[in-house]
Amino acid sequence: MKKETQEHQVIETIRKEGGYATLRRLNEIVDFSTWKTKTPEATVRRIVQDSKLIFKIQPGLWALEEFRDEVLRKFELKIGNKQSEEQFSHGYYQGLLVEIGKFRHQMTYVPAQDQNRKFIGQRLGDITDTIEIPAFTYDKLLKRARTVDVIWFNERQMPSNFYEVEHTTDIKNSLSKFYELQDFYADFHIVADASRKKEFEDKLHVSMFGAIEKRVKFIDYKRVADMYEGLTKVSNSIW
């Protein structure tokens, strides 16, 4: 099958999905039976990146140009509006982290105040296991933990991973939360654009955060999207 025909097939698949789709969804539903390639997922990725008929909304999320206005309106996303872009990005990456956590058989949590954020046309509250945090510690620490963007809990309802999505807000605030929660056997993650990694390192490597310095990881947006895309074949390792 020629590349042009493959591109047409991908475009028609996106159209049937309502004009937008994640790479993961495309890899699930595109019919690869006639594709003479051992790496159809890589071909799909190349098609969405190269096609002039497709545009990127976020890493891992693509839409057809002909549906641009309709899709952006559905996602309540106004390109060029910083507040709108931050709201959408925040919900999108919270949603990806929730889906990854559920795939790893973790109980997922997002704050009650975030339950109405949108994740690819859905409410975060509809895809997350709970918006009521398990009572795993003292009230003072629970109050702090409730504000964390995404938490994964193990089968004993103890936290295993804390995630803070930092689009434009101060990373130091998230590090302060992690510092207060350091006594739990859990990993801490800052999720942000790759351009903020230097800022993250500068703020982490100060004396006040010495106790958690080696426990906090930086994960860029693309890596989260890639992890979500590969869920069907991912190992049990974390990042």
Side-chain angles (χ1 to χ4, degrees):
M1 183 176 284
K2 295 181 180 180
K3 180 180 178 181
E4 290 77 13
T5 306
Q6 291 173 343
E7 179 182 2
H8 177 75
Q9 190 174 347
V10 170
I11 288 171
E12 287 304 308
T13 301
I14 297 175
R15 181 175 287 113
K16 291 177 182 178
E17 287 292 293
Y20 64 92
T22 63
L23 276 175
R24 182 188 179 203
R25 180 62 177 162
L26 289 175
N27 290 333
E28 289 175 341
I29 62 177
V30 172
D31 181 6
F32 297 138
S33 61
T34 58
W35 290 31
K36 296 180 179 179
T37 174
K38 295 181 179 179
T39 57
E41 293 90 352
T43 301
V44 171
R45 181 186 290 271
R46 185 169 60 251
I47 288 171
V48 297
Q49 289 175 340
D50 294 346
S51 177
K52 294 181 179 180
L53 301 178
I54 301 172
F55 72 98
K56 181 173 73 173
I57 302 174
Q58 285 284 349
L61 179 61
W62 301 82
L64 297 181
E65 282 290 353
E66 64 185 278
F67 285 84
R68 178 183 285 268
D69 292 343
E70 179 181 336
V71 169
L72 296 182
R73 186 164 53 250
K74 178 181 179 64
F75 292 161
E76 300 176 3
L77 175 58
K78 299 178 181 178
I79 302 300
N81 182 306
K82 290 184 179 181
Q83 183 177 1
S84 174
E85 290 179 350
E86 179 168 2
Q87 286 288 325
F88 177 80
S89 296
H90 205 283
Y92 177 66
Y93 290 104
Q94 280 180 286
L96 293 184
L97 291 166
V98 165
E99 294 287 15
I100 295 168
K102 290 165 67 175
F103 186 84
R104 295 181 184 279
H105 308 294
Q106 301 285 290
M107 183 175 75
T108 56
Y109 162 87
V110 298
Q113 63 265 28
D114 290 350
Q115 63 181 308
N116 290 321
R117 286 185 186 271
K118 293 294 181 66
F119 170 64
I120 318 180
Q122 304 175 82
R123 293 172 62 256
L124 277 179
D126 292 335
I127 67 167
T128 305
D129 293 312
T130 183
I131 58 172
E132 297 293 334
I133 199 165
F136 64 91
T137 186
Y138 301 109
D139 288 343
K140 179 180 178 180
L141 292 177
L142 280 179
K143 183 177 181 180
R144 194 63 160 150
R146 283 190 184 96
T147 66
V148 175
D149 290 326
V150 177
I151 307 176
W152 294 356
F153 290 90
N154 61 26
E155 66 277 8
R156 295 177 301 282
Q157 295 195 355
M158 293 298 290
S160 60
N161 288 268
F162 294 91
Y163 297 91
E164 280 281 89
V165 179
E166 296 292 354
H167 195 64
T168 58
T169 46
D170 192 347
I171 291 174
K172 184 178 179 180
N173 293 335
S174 293
L175 295 177
S176 296
K177 294 182 190 180
F178 295 161
Y179 181 83
E180 292 188 41
L181 297 166
Q182 65 178 290
D183 294 312
F184 297 96
Y185 188 71
D187 293 324
F188 304 110
H189 310 265
I190 296 292
V191 177
D193 187 84
S195 63
R196 300 197 73 186
K197 187 173 183 180
K198 179 62 165 58
E199 177 190 352
F200 159 78
E201 292 173 343
D202 289 344
K203 292 189 175 181
L204 177 63
H205 300 323
V206 296
S207 58
M208 68 177 294
F209 295 128
I212 62 170
E213 184 176 356
K214 294 182 179 180
R215 295 178 58 190
V216 185
K217 301 176 182 177
F218 181 90
I219 309 172
D220 66 64
Y221 287 159
K222 184 179 183 302
R223 193 174 182 191
V224 175
D226 288 346
M227 183 63 70
Y228 175 74
E229 178 189 346
L231 283 183
T232 56
K233 52 184 179 294
V234 76
S235 70
N236 288 324
S237 62
I238 299 292
W239 311 110

